[in-house]
Amino acid sequence: MAGSFLVADRVRAGGGQQPPPARPRRRGIGWAQRLEIAALSGPAILVFLAFVIFPVLLAAYYGFYKWKGFGPPTNFVGLDNYRTILQDTAFREALWHNGLILVLSLVFQGPIAIGLALLLNQRIRGRSAIRVLIFVPYVIAEVIAGTAWALLLQANGAVNGVLRSMGLGWLAQDWLANPKLALWTLIMILTWKYIGFAVILFLAGMQNIPEELAEAAAVDGASYWQIQRRITLPLLGPTIRIWAFLSIIGALQLFDMVYIIWGQYVASTAGTSTMVTYMVNEGRNASNYGYGSAVAVVLFTVSMTIALLYQRFVLRRDTDGALTGGQ
Amino acid sequence: MALKRTLAVATTVLALSAVGLAACGGGDDDADAGGNVTMELWQNSTTGPGKAFWEKTVADFQTAHPNVKIKMSSIQNEDLDGKLQTALNSGSAPDIFLQRGGGKMAAMVEAGQLKDITGDISAESKQAVGEAALKTGQIDGKAYAVPVSILPGGLWYSQDLFQKAGVTTPPATIDDLNAAVTKLKANGTPIALGAKDAWPAAHWFYFFALRACSQATLDATAKSKTFDDPCWTKAGEQLKAFADTKPFNEGFLTTSAQQGAGSSAGLLANHKASMELMGAWDPGVIASLTKDTKPLPDLGFFPFPAVPGGQGDPAAVMGGTDGYSCAADAPKECTDFLNYILTKDVQVGFYKGFNSLPVNKEAQAAVTEPYLKAVLDAYNKAPYVSQWLDTLYGQNVGNALNVGVVNLLAGKGDVAGIIQAVNDAAKKG
């Protein structure tokens, strides 16, 4: 058991055995260089400030007001909006849905994608075609995919039609509106949509694993499954952790698929509402822009906290050096 | 028909409380003003006869007022609200624009973004439209918009399907309706409902409330925003009992109201369902969804049936109006234009361009379609007209009300849940 991990550890440790290279001392740079840096990065920074940072600050500001969105906000209410959010059962439900989607996405998409990646990493017939087929849903625009699934899964849609024509009418369900089913339907669609992305990531990760390791293990008499379990998977770790990070952020910010399939209102009834659909419903549809801004701030804080914790505790060993500049 | 969505959103539009006096003569307005004036007009008809109507109206107005130049922008309906809000807040608002009314108009007024046109509505306009209809554009006695079209709600149905099912006369009471539903079930879906958009489902609650609650209660609730009168619970229970007979299309919760053949209007257009509760914009929507995109030949209309035992008048009607406003800093010629679009000939053009009931009483004489005449008849007989409740109670409460009704129909919530949702919503706005 432990021995098998040593291979991985040794590979990962790689250059770590040598003393880390001394960091070059920072030398002062000339005016010309500074000017160049300013000229090249200035516009990007300005755009970033104007369209990313400024709106975030603006939302934080509006969050303290009751504001209908016309004219400047005047009705300052302090933290009232935040209190209301935390007490609102609809928000708690949405948060709970986000949590479920997050966990279920990881649980379903991860293993399936790893399995598919392992399969597609073999030299099998039609490999490119399968790769394309798996990746296609990821490429299709969310709106189109959502609309198509909404039509297919309607109570009188094609899926139930096919089931009935096959004599499996008892399996026909109200896939979208039944609160017991709707969340699972959503998970199925999300898996279908995003599995291709995970597979591509994992395949790329697998390409980076030196083949000699598998060959050496095979010479030592390791079976295919032993090789995958003890060499490929551990070495795929960094890729899996990055994928999980992207998946978590995606799950927290999920909006389009839910909004397209369930519309502005039914998501909460069907049990597929998310923090963002809640934000849009309370902000835009109810025209409570102050309250909606406060929801945006909460969403931002939740996502940011989870992202930072994940970076700190999960991604640290992968990003050592890249983000923290040493140690 | 780009108007259809406008009108669809008429749930959030100004309301009409009663019909005014019969009109006589809509003369030309007194063009004046020295110097040249340029104004911008935003409307939401991007194609077809609706857009042509606005082009002609603008051209005719410019001919009559050589010093005025109007730059018209046709803005896609769903984009209009956002663009307008941005333009208003950035101080570059168009001078004349479509006004959806309700809570949004109140917010615009509060922010000082609309022109007070109380003194500028001409005597001719007042006479042609009626004081009561003009009230729909007023807040606290001051006018900020003029209505151009009246859009009362009721049940739109297929005469052929009714006949086939042996329903000979349109249901006049809720018992009649239940009996009709039973008969219609043999041939398919009795009632199409697009609850994905929430408001079409909520309309059912509104109409039951219109019958259960007195006019005074409706108005008092608009002020208090507390739904504690027992008539609200009664309306909810009546709706629940009605929904329990399963009159709606399968999967109505994920059916949209007016997009595509699978929508509730589409089901009616393709004879897959027999009727739909909707506002007076529905004929246009249905027409655009029939196979040949022509008006449904057997379309009929009957008012929401009487529900015995309520405090509301059995003949009361619910509906809204679509209007136009001037921006706060618009030139005074803007109100000349508003008066102009209320004149008889322009209103007849509006009716023809949009297949929608004009607000000018004389122009209403031009209406030929039997179903539109039926709407007018119900409208003119109504002792009072209530606004759509989500408009009457503001977007904030209205939104919660709509969601509460969807939950009720889905079996997720109960009548008390609607009231709870409304109280919660009041905290957020």
Side-chain angles (χ1 to χ4, degrees):
Chain A
M1 251 313 203
S4 63
F5 281 106
L6 280 180
V7 180
D9 287 340
R10 235 176 285 136
V11 172
R12 185 167 43 237
Q17 304 289 4
Q18 292 121 35
R23 277 210 286 159
R25 207 165 57 81
R26 222 173 145 191
R27 282 181 297 120
I29 51 171
W31 276 109
Q33 253 177 314
R34 280 174 199 230
L35 207 68
E36 201 179 333
I37 291 170
L40 289 176
S41 58
I45 289 172
L46 280 182
V47 168
F48 182 75
L49 286 175
F51 292 104
V52 179
I53 302 300
F54 181 63
V56 170
L57 295 177
L58 212 54
Y61 168 71
Y62 289 150
F64 292 120
Y65 290 86
K66 279 195 176 181
W67 183 49
K68 290 280 176 198
F70 290 93
T74 48
N75 187 3
F76 184 83
V77 293
L79 292 172
D80 270 9
N81 285 336
Y82 293 93
R83 259 177 236 129
T84 312
I85 293 169
L86 297 178
Q87 287 164 2
D88 193 358
T89 45
F91 177 76
R92 287 189 205 158
E93 273 178 28
L95 189 64
W96 167 243
H97 298 153
N98 272 116
L100 277 178
I101 291 163
L102 191 159
V103 172
L104 293 175
S105 295
L106 293 178
V107 168
F108 282 107
Q109 289 178 32
I112 296 175
I114 290 172
L116 284 170
L118 283 176
L119 184 74
L120 293 176
N121 209 24
Q122 309 293 310
R123 288 188 187 81
I124 53 168
R125 277 168 71 93
R127 183 167 71 161
S128 329
I130 301 174
R131 279 187 188 182
V132 169
L133 282 180
I134 290 175
F135 199 60
V136 159
Y138 183 69
V139 181
I140 296 175
E142 207 101 1
V143 180
I144 294 167
T147 310
W149 278 114
L151 291 173
L152 287 171
L153 291 170
Q154 268 177 1
N156 51 0
V159 170
N160 283 344
V162 168
L163 285 174
R164 286 192 186 111
S165 69
M166 284 164 61
L168 297 170
W170 51 277
L171 271 177
Q173 299 286 341
D174 196 347
W175 303 101
L176 299 174
N178 182 345
K180 291 199 181 91
L181 272 180
L183 188 81
W184 296 98
T185 306
L186 175 65
I187 295 291
M188 189 279 293
I189 295 168
L190 290 177
T191 307
W192 168 85
K193 181 86 172 73
Y194 291 105
I195 201 86
F197 177 66
V199 169
I200 293 291
L201 266 186
F202 293 157
L203 271 175
M206 285 176 190
Q207 310 286 323
N208 283 336
I209 299 170
E211 240 169 277
E212 299 85 60
L213 295 176
E215 280 165 17
V219 168
D220 287 346
S223 73
Y224 172 78
W225 288 112
Q226 280 175 318
I227 294 172
Q228 305 312 332
R229 256 187 67 206
R230 312 236 156 123
I231 297 175
T232 312
L233 281 188
L235 290 180
L236 204 54
T239 314
I240 295 175
R241 288 190 286 274
I242 286 287
W243 163 78
F245 181 67
L246 296 175
S247 185
I248 289 168
I249 296 298
L252 288 172
Q253 303 190 336
L254 181 65
F255 170 67
D256 355 23
M257 201 56 98
V258 175
Y259 197 77
I260 292 157
I261 298 178
W262 280 272
Q264 319 166 24
Y265 303 101
V266 182
S268 60
T269 307
T272 54
S273 59
T274 67
M275 285 188 284
V276 188
T277 62
Y278 177 82
M279 175 179 80
V280 171
N281 193 40
E282 297 293 343
R284 187 173 172 277
N285 295 343
S287 203
N288 295 331
Y289 286 89
Y291 185 77
S293 297
V295 179
V297 172
V298 171
L299 175 67
F300 176 81
T301 313
V302 171
S303 304
M304 196 70 174
T305 309
I306 291 180
L308 287 177
L309 288 176
Y310 193 89
Q311 293 247 0
R312 179 77 181 76
F313 292 107
V314 183
L315 283 184
R316 190 166 58 148
R317 45 184 174 166
D318 300 326
T319 52
D320 256 0
L323 295 183
T324 50
Q327 302 326 310
Chain B
M1 293 288 287
L3 184 74
K4 70 184 182 205
R5 295 209 183 111
T6 323
L7 299 181
V9 189
T11 43
T12 57
V13 158
L14 302 174
L16 201 52
S17 30
V19 179
L21 302 160
C24 58
D28 211 8
D29 30 49
D30 39 353
D32 44 16
N36 289 328
V37 178
T38 306
M39 293 190 293
E40 209 177 330
L41 162 69
W42 283 13
Q43 52 80 22
N44 64 341
S45 199
T46 52
T47 53
K51 189 182 178 203
F53 160 77
W54 281 113
E55 278 163 356
K56 179 177 183 311
T57 303
V58 164
D60 290 351
F61 184 78
Q62 287 178 159
T63 314
H65 302 75
N67 63 320
V68 178
K69 172 101 186 74
I70 295 179
K71 193 173 152 269
M72 184 183 87
S73 300
S74 299
I75 296 173
Q76 207 280 326
N77 184 60
E78 271 68 25
D79 294 342
L80 185 75
D81 277 13
K83 280 192 176 173
L84 183 61
Q85 193 162 3
T86 310
L88 283 167
N89 285 345
S90 67
S92 58
D95 302 280
I96 314 161
F97 53 87
L98 177 77
Q99 176 57 261
R100 305 201 197 267
K104 275 202 176 155
M105 182 165 102
M108 289 177 196
V109 170
E110 205 178 318
Q113 292 168 334
L114 296 186
K115 193 184 192 73
D116 178 356
I117 55 171
T118 317
D120 300 320
I121 297 173
S122 68
E124 289 88 346
S125 296
K126 282 180 184 162
Q127 206 164 16
V129 177
E131 193 64 47
L134 285 171
K135 257 203 184 102
T136 61
Q138 296 175 357
I139 292 178
D140 296 333
K142 288 181 181 170
Y144 297 96
V146 295
V148 291
S149 178
I150 53 173
L151 303 156
L155 284 138
W156 304 88
Y157 72 104
S158 155
Q159 290 170 331
D160 291 354
L161 291 179
F162 266 47
Q163 212 163 16
K164 217 163 112 190
V167 184
T168 44
T169 48
T173 67
I174 197 74
D175 288 339
D176 292 351
L177 185 64
N178 278 322
V181 163
T182 311
K183 284 185 189 168
L184 288 163
K185 265 192 184 172
N187 292 326
T189 303
I191 304 175
L193 177 60
K196 186 177 180 181
D197 293 318
W199 53 263
H203 281 180
W204 280 95
F205 177 65
Y206 300 169
F207 274 93
F208 274 111
L210 183 71
R211 297 284 179 258
C213 301
S214 68
Q215 191 185 11
T217 307
L218 294 178
D219 290 344
T221 309
K223 290 207 174 66
S224 68
K225 307 267 170 73
T226 42
F227 290 58
D228 49 8
D229 193 290
C231 69
W232 294 107
T233 311
K234 186 174 177 184
E237 277 159 4
Q238 283 169 338
L239 170 60
K240 183 93 180 95
F242 180 69
D244 283 345
T245 68
K246 301 211 179 302
F248 304 120
N249 47 301
E250 196 188 357
F252 63 86
L253 282 176
T254 45
T255 303
S256 56
Q258 32 204 17
Q259 283 140 351
S263 65
S264 57
L267 291 175
L268 205 58
N270 297 302
H271 278 181
K272 296 265 171 64
S274 301
M275 58 182 140
E276 179 182 25
L277 177 64
M278 196 44 75
W281 58 86
D282 213 24
V285 179
I286 292 169
S288 71
L289 293 170
T290 55
K291 286 195 180 85
D292 51 5
T293 64
K294 293 223 169 75
L296 193 68
D298 65 325
L299 188 68
F301 173 88
F302 62 93
F304 193 84
V307 184
Q311 296 159 354
D313 193 293
V317 161
M318 188 174 292
T321 60
D322 228 349
Y324 276 81
S325 278
C326 291
D329 55 357
K332 63 182 166 56
E333 283 77 3
C334 176
T335 47
D336 293 341
F337 185 76
L338 295 188
N339 282 315
Y340 177 66
I341 59 177
L342 295 178
T343 56
K344 187 192 162 198
D345 290 349
V346 179
Q347 282 273 296
V348 170
F350 183 90
Y351 150 67
K352 288 185 175 151
F354 293 105
N355 199 19
S356 173
L357 289 174
V359 73
N360 180 311
K361 294 274 286 174
E362 273 197 19
Q364 286 170 3
V367 172
T368 54
E369 292 85 347
Y371 49 82
L372 285 183
K373 280 186 165 175
V375 176
L376 263 183
D377 186 45
Y379 188 82
N380 290 334
K381 275 188 193 151
Y384 54 88
V385 180
S386 166
Q387 296 187 21
W388 300 113
L389 295 190
D390 50 357
T391 307
L392 187 61
Y393 301 147
Q395 216 175 340
N396 176 28
V397 169
N399 188 53
L401 204 55
N402 294 354
V403 175
V405 175
V406 170
N407 280 342
L408 178 76
L409 292 181
K412 192 195 174 196
D414 49 15
V415 180
I418 299 179
I419 288 149
Q420 176 67 40
V422 173
N423 291 337
D424 285 352
K427 278 189 238 159
K428 294 166 189 164

